[in-house]
Amino acid sequence: MKQKDSQASGKKPSKYIAREPDAQGYIHYTDVEHETWQRLIERQLKMVPGRACDEYLRGLELLDLPRDRIPQLEEISSVLRRETGWEVARVPALIGFETFFGLLADRKFPVATFIRTPEEFDYLQEPDIFHEIFGHCAMLTNPAFANFTQKYGQLGLAASPKERAYLARLYWFTVEFGLLQTSDGLRIYGGGILSSPKETLYALGDEPDRYDFDVLDALRTPYRIDIVQPIYYVLNDLQQLQELTEIDLMSHVREAIDRGLFEPRFPPKNAA
Ligand SMILES: [Fe+2]
């Protein structure tokens, strides 16, 4: 799930249309779409061993995702319900913040039921079903990650637009682009990284800056959604996500607003 509110952000609407289920609740995709899933998952399954954290890899095992077809959402929900009480919810390609936060607060992870076209195989801005399921759903089997994601939804629902913009940075540097230090070395848990082969290599390589996770720093760090990240924040333990659900996170948001954003480490989006 990336930035979704096209109206609020002034972005052009998505060219993608989420698939509706038939009368039996089954969502049909074309052969080309199933083949796109197969190419994406087979490529990325080779990337994640030794790079994704153990909790993610265990989640993938539990999900046992099909290789040769796009899974139906109920297949994912049945595993998530059993593990952490989460499920996935079918949504249109773009949804507003209210809907997004409301679903998360209800332990429902929004998934737009479309997959990228072959022309956008390596990068698309909108989060498609491969990003949502392969990127995020394995981690939603982990209680700390699952609880934090719900907390983010609850806080987002009650937050002002400005507070939401700060909260979104915390989500970005954890759920989407978080790294984890383990006894075996640096690992990935963020779904924005794990659904991209390029960023899976880059995030663990020499180029980006990596800092120990600090909630105030994450809230204050600007990001761009259309580039690989110049900065990542590294947890020492996924339990830190659980701890974030137990503190007064909004007091940190207010402090972050008082102090303001850090200088961006990237050029403005429309720079020549
Ligand atoms: Fe995402």
Side-chain angles (χ1 to χ4, degrees), residues 1-2 131-132 136 176:
M1 185 62 48
K2 295 183 181 175
H131 166 77
E132 304 293 20
H136 293 303
E176 293 290 359

PDB file of all heavy atoms in Angstrom, residues 1-2 131-132 136 176, ligand 1:
ATOM      1  N   MET A   1       0.859  -1.196   0.000  1.00  0.00           N
ATOM      2  CA  MET A   1       0.000   0.000   0.000  1.00  0.00           C
ATOM      3  C   MET A   1       0.883   1.229   0.000  1.00  0.00           C
ATOM      4  O   MET A   1       1.652   1.454   0.911  1.00  0.00           O
ATOM      5  CB  MET A   1      -0.885  -0.030   1.237  1.00  0.00           C
ATOM      6  CG  MET A   1      -1.903   1.073   1.298  1.00  0.00           C
ATOM      7  SD  MET A   1      -3.094   1.058  -0.028  1.00  0.00           S
ATOM      8  CE  MET A   1      -3.608  -0.657  -0.032  1.00  0.00           C
ATOM      9  N   LYS A   2       0.786   1.989  -1.044  1.00  0.00           N
ATOM     10  CA  LYS A   2       1.529   3.245  -1.075  1.00  0.00           C
ATOM     11  C   LYS A   2       0.524   4.390  -1.048  1.00  0.00           C
ATOM     12  O   LYS A   2      -0.634   4.180  -0.755  1.00  0.00           O
ATOM     13  CB  LYS A   2       2.396   3.299  -2.333  1.00  0.00           C
ATOM     14  CG  LYS A   2       3.470   2.222  -2.310  1.00  0.00           C
ATOM     15  CD  LYS A   2       4.362   2.315  -3.503  1.00  0.00           C
ATOM     16  CE  LYS A   2       5.410   1.206  -3.467  1.00  0.00           C
ATOM     17  NZ  LYS A   2       6.223   1.176  -4.659  1.00  0.00           N
ATOM     18  N   HIS A 131       2.392  -6.625  -5.319  1.00  0.00           N
ATOM     19  CA  HIS A 131       3.009  -5.855  -4.229  1.00  0.00           C
ATOM     20  C   HIS A 131       2.294  -6.134  -2.898  1.00  0.00           C
ATOM     21  O   HIS A 131       2.939  -6.392  -1.884  1.00  0.00           O
ATOM     22  CB  HIS A 131       2.963  -4.354  -4.545  1.00  0.00           C
ATOM     23  CG  HIS A 131       3.275  -3.503  -3.352  1.00  0.00           C
ATOM     24  ND1 HIS A 131       4.560  -3.317  -2.885  1.00  0.00           N
ATOM     25  CD2 HIS A 131       2.461  -2.826  -2.503  1.00  0.00           C
ATOM     26  CE1 HIS A 131       4.519  -2.550  -1.800  1.00  0.00           C
ATOM     27  NE2 HIS A 131       3.260  -2.245  -1.544  1.00  0.00           N
ATOM     28  N   GLU A 132       0.987  -6.066  -2.920  1.00  0.00           N
ATOM     29  CA  GLU A 132       0.242  -6.187  -1.655  1.00  0.00           C
ATOM     30  C   GLU A 132       0.388  -7.579  -1.048  1.00  0.00           C
ATOM     31  O   GLU A 132       0.587  -7.710   0.155  1.00  0.00           O
ATOM     32  CB  GLU A 132      -1.252  -5.893  -1.869  1.00  0.00           C
ATOM     33  CG  GLU A 132      -1.560  -4.543  -2.479  1.00  0.00           C
ATOM     34  CD  GLU A 132      -1.217  -3.348  -1.599  1.00  0.00           C
ATOM     35  OE1 GLU A 132      -0.401  -3.492  -0.672  1.00  0.00           O
ATOM     36  OE2 GLU A 132      -1.759  -2.262  -1.869  1.00  0.00           O
ATOM     37  N   HIS A 136       3.456  -7.641   1.412  1.00  0.00           N
ATOM     38  CA  HIS A 136       2.979  -7.356   2.771  1.00  0.00           C
ATOM     39  C   HIS A 136       2.365  -8.522   3.530  1.00  0.00           C
ATOM     40  O   HIS A 136       2.402  -8.543   4.753  1.00  0.00           O
ATOM     41  CB  HIS A 136       1.932  -6.240   2.733  1.00  0.00           C
ATOM     42  CG  HIS A 136       2.481  -4.917   2.330  1.00  0.00           C
ATOM     43  ND1 HIS A 136       3.516  -4.302   2.999  1.00  0.00           N
ATOM     44  CD2 HIS A 136       2.148  -4.077   1.311  1.00  0.00           C
ATOM     45  CE1 HIS A 136       3.794  -3.143   2.417  1.00  0.00           C
ATOM     46  NE2 HIS A 136       2.985  -2.979   1.396  1.00  0.00           N
ATOM     47  N   GLU A 176       6.656  -0.333   4.736  1.00  0.00           N
ATOM     48  CA  GLU A 176       7.063  -0.356   3.331  1.00  0.00           C
ATOM     49  C   GLU A 176       8.567  -0.575   3.144  1.00  0.00           C
ATOM     50  O   GLU A 176       8.975  -1.326   2.265  1.00  0.00           O
ATOM     51  CB  GLU A 176       6.663   0.946   2.623  1.00  0.00           C
ATOM     52  CG  GLU A 176       5.166   1.151   2.480  1.00  0.00           C
ATOM     53  CD  GLU A 176       4.499   0.204   1.476  1.00  0.00           C
ATOM     54  OE1 GLU A 176       5.200  -0.622   0.856  1.00  0.00           O
ATOM     55  OE2 GLU A 176       3.273   0.276   1.348  1.00  0.00           O
TER      56      GLU A 176
HETATM   57 FE    FE B   1       2.643  -1.232   0.193  1.00  0.00          FE
END
